[in-house]
Amino acid sequence: MRTQSLRGWMDVLQREGTLKTVSRDVSLEFELAALGKKADGKHTLLFNKVGKGNMPVITGIAGSRASFAKAVGVPVEELVAAFMQAQANPRDCVMVEKSAAPVKEEITLDVDLTKLPIPIHHEKDGGPYLTAAVLISKDPKTGARNLSIHRLHVLGPKKLGILILPRHLHHFFRAAEDEGKPLEIALAIGLDPILLLASQAIAPLGFDEYTIASALYDSPLELVKCETVDLEVPAQAEIVLEGYLVPKAREIEGPFGEYPKYYGPASLKPVVELTAMTTRKNPIFQTIVPATMEHMLLGAIPREGGMLQIIKGAVPNARAVHLTPGGTCRYHAVVSIDKQHEGEAKNAMFAAFASSQEVKRVVVVDKDVDIFDPIDVEWAIATRCQAGRDVFIVERALGNKLDPSSDDGISDKMGIDATVPLGADPFRFERIRIPRENQIRLEDYFD
Ligand code: MN
């Protein structure tokens, strides 16, 4: 059984020595984000003295594939497969009483966001932002539960502006708004890496992402009922904010420094009104510094799992997928296949594009290429690909609005086949190799 709480995960980080505590004064404006960015992938930072209050802030709870793999309890090479497995074999959650839920230790209906240590991350951000809150909602028609993470701009003591991309929450909100009704939501803050990962699953509408977390924990996730809305939230969370999306209301949200390393511009966006806050005693506030590896991998790992599953449906001998950091962990995919038939590379590309609207470039390589090594992937493109024959472009499909080169989200898609043609002379494409190179240790030869 894996830990279901941020505190349990902090114990693991403490033991491995990667959790660093910062007890000197740190400003919530830029300084905290700068430190989080410098520690990205190396240390988790726990700030004890930020802003005016005394609530600690944690950031960078998992900044590498190795760290997420440790949380899931598998070797790093098996991380994406483990996520895919969990998504294919979801498990039920369990409801617990309020008395058994740490997040109910303190309850207030008088929410005041100005009392929380919410950072301003980037130079031109419109204000403080919640970046690590998992939003829980239900389909107003079917009652199916959904998890998602959104950028949430603090607009007042009880008010947040929210960016809702055209995915599941968008669908629910439109249905509620069409009837002039509010859509109830809850925001859980202070979670472990598994629950954050599960919230990012690429799953069909109606799929309850909590059940992926239960499968990854290998034990039912503990949930507890909310106070003012008909929703269930993780019992082990540090902080839960309850409220609703206001029908027909729009206010200026943004700008906000996003994962593509550009600002998402300010514009009129939907608004959340908060109705209650429940917390642990002495809660820890969690933030994710945008565009860090922590942020990028939270998008990449679940997408790779979902994408590989869909590609395998089209090309059963697809082996692995990598959403590269240079491609923002969203836009550029590398797919490894064990090619058996000519044309499979193209079919793998079609499936990859269909699996996620954000993907705009797919490179398909043979199984001898290390898809996590950008030099090896570029070598495959350089030596196994001719643009006239092996590259195709589909213009003006749906992409991602946060890509500044897109036409408000309308984006071209490019497929690059960097696999060796099946009929080719094998020696022409034989990779050079020095026998026993891998067994020889240079140090053993030094005088
Ligand atoms: Mn969903």
Side-chain angles (χ1 to χ4, degrees):
M1 178 175 150
R2 262 65 84 182
T3 175
Q4 286 199 8
S5 70
L6 173 62
R7 289 177 196 223
W9 177 238
M10 286 167 69
D11 289 342
V12 174
L13 298 172
Q14 184 90 55
R15 281 198 297 276
E16 69 173 28
T18 51
L19 178 66
K20 302 288 178 197
T21 305
V22 179
S23 292
R24 51 184 270 196
D25 265 309
V26 170
S27 171
L28 283 170
E29 192 172 316
F30 311 135
E31 191 177 11
L32 187 149
L35 292 164
K37 193 171 170 187
K38 283 202 189 285
D40 185 29
K42 299 187 281 282
H43 301 297
T44 303
L45 300 181
L46 179 66
F47 298 95
N48 281 328
K49 217 162 160 248
V50 285
K52 283 164 279 176
N54 50 14
M55 194 183 293
V57 178
I58 194 164
T59 193
I61 65 160
S64 66
R65 283 177 191 267
S67 184
F68 280 106
K70 184 163 200 174
V72 173
V74 294
V76 67
E77 319 78 70
E78 290 168 27
L79 176 58
V80 171
F83 193 88
M84 210 169 85
Q85 272 296 316
Q87 193 163 341
N89 302 284
R91 278 185 67 169
D92 282 342
C93 303
V94 61
M95 293 303 299
V96 300
E97 291 301 316
K98 245 162 104 163
S99 56
V103 75
K104 299 289 188 178
E105 284 166 1
E106 311 269 358
I107 297 172
T108 177
L109 300 184
D110 184 26
V111 188
D112 185 356
L113 292 172
T114 63
K115 289 186 178 151
L116 294 180
I118 308 176
I120 301 178
H121 297 95
H122 285 103
E123 185 185 11
K124 299 201 167 149
D125 282 2
Y129 266 83
L130 300 179
T131 58
V134 168
L135 187 149
I136 300 102
S137 58
K138 275 181 187 167
D139 187 330
K141 293 220 167 75
T142 66
R145 212 155 39 192
N146 193 66
L147 306 186
S148 47
I149 299 181
H150 304 264
R151 68 189 214 208
L152 291 153
H153 188 168
V154 178
L155 297 178
K158 296 182 197 313
K159 188 161 72 178
L160 295 156
I162 180 171
L163 172 67
I164 308 177
L165 292 172
R167 293 195 281 249
H168 299 160
L169 179 65
H170 187 262
H171 183 82
F172 300 170
F173 181 47
R174 234 183 28 196
E177 210 173 35
D178 281 350
E179 298 192 358
K181 288 185 181 149
L183 182 77
E184 293 185 337
I185 61 133
L187 298 163
I189 300 167
L191 305 171
D192 68 282
I194 285 183
L195 196 43
L196 289 174
L197 268 184
S199 77
Q200 297 306 291
I202 302 293
L205 186 68
F207 194 106
D208 181 349
E209 287 93 356
Y210 273 148
T211 61
I212 302 175
S214 289
L216 285 169
Y217 291 130
D218 200 20
S219 64
L221 169 66
E222 293 178 359
L223 298 175
V224 65
K225 283 204 168 306
C226 283
E227 302 299 308
T228 58
V229 291
D230 179 26
L231 292 167
E232 303 80 38
V233 288
Q236 299 287 339
E238 293 290 323
I239 300 168
V240 165
L241 298 164
E242 303 178 7
Y244 55 92
L245 280 158
V246 187
K248 312 289 179 203
R250 296 293 185 273
E251 290 194 28
I252 291 289
E253 180 275 343
F256 179 67
E258 275 280 4
Y259 69 82
K261 301 180 184 168
Y262 292 99
Y263 291 96
S267 63
L268 289 168
K269 307 266 172 49
V271 174
V272 174
E273 280 285 337
L274 298 173
T275 51
M277 178 168 84
T278 77
T279 70
R280 287 175 178 253
K281 260 193 198 89
N282 306 314
I284 301 167
F285 183 82
Q286 184 177 6
T287 197
I288 294 172
V289 179
T292 53
M293 281 313 290
E294 170 167 55
H295 183 192
M296 310 265 262
L297 288 172
L298 274 172
I301 294 162
R303 274 180 178 76
E304 288 167 359
M307 189 178 290
L308 182 58
Q309 201 159 22
I310 291 169
I311 296 172
K312 272 177 182 288
V315 180
N317 33 318
R319 298 171 63 253
V321 177
H322 181 213
L323 287 162
T324 63
T328 78
C329 284
R330 307 281 200 288
Y331 300 161
H332 288 181
V334 184
V335 181
S336 167
I337 65 168
D338 183 5
K339 191 160 84 169
Q340 307 292 331
H341 300 281
E342 212 50 76
E344 277 176 339
K346 268 206 180 97
N347 289 28
M349 291 171 200
F350 294 142
F353 288 129
S355 76
S356 164
Q357 56 188 228
E358 288 135 335
V359 178
K360 60 188 284 202
R361 191 189 87 178
V362 178
V363 179
V364 181
V365 296
D366 294 304
K367 63 178 189 214
D368 65 310
V369 175
D370 179 358
I371 60 173
F372 291 96
D373 176 0
I375 293 179
D376 218 29
V377 172
E378 192 176 354
W379 170 81
I381 297 171
T383 64
R384 298 178 178 183
C385 169
Q386 283 296 315
R389 180 190 67 197
D390 297 319
V391 175
F392 74 79
I393 294 168
V394 173
E395 289 182 36
R396 301 189 65 75
L398 184 57
N400 183 246
K401 270 183 200 261
L402 294 173
D403 169 6
S405 73
S406 76
D407 181 3
D408 196 30
I410 304 298
S411 175
D412 296 351
K413 311 279 177 174
M414 174 162 61
I416 300 176
D417 180 353
T419 59
V420 172
L422 280 178
D425 168 12
F427 190 69
R428 198 176 160 89
F429 288 99
E430 169 116 17
R431 201 188 260 246
I432 56 168
R433 199 172 75 86
I434 301 174
R436 296 206 304 118
E437 182 187 343
N438 289 340
Q439 285 89 53
I440 285 172
R441 280 172 28 97
L442 181 59
E443 303 79 66
D444 296 342
Y445 286 73
F446 292 159
D447 287 338

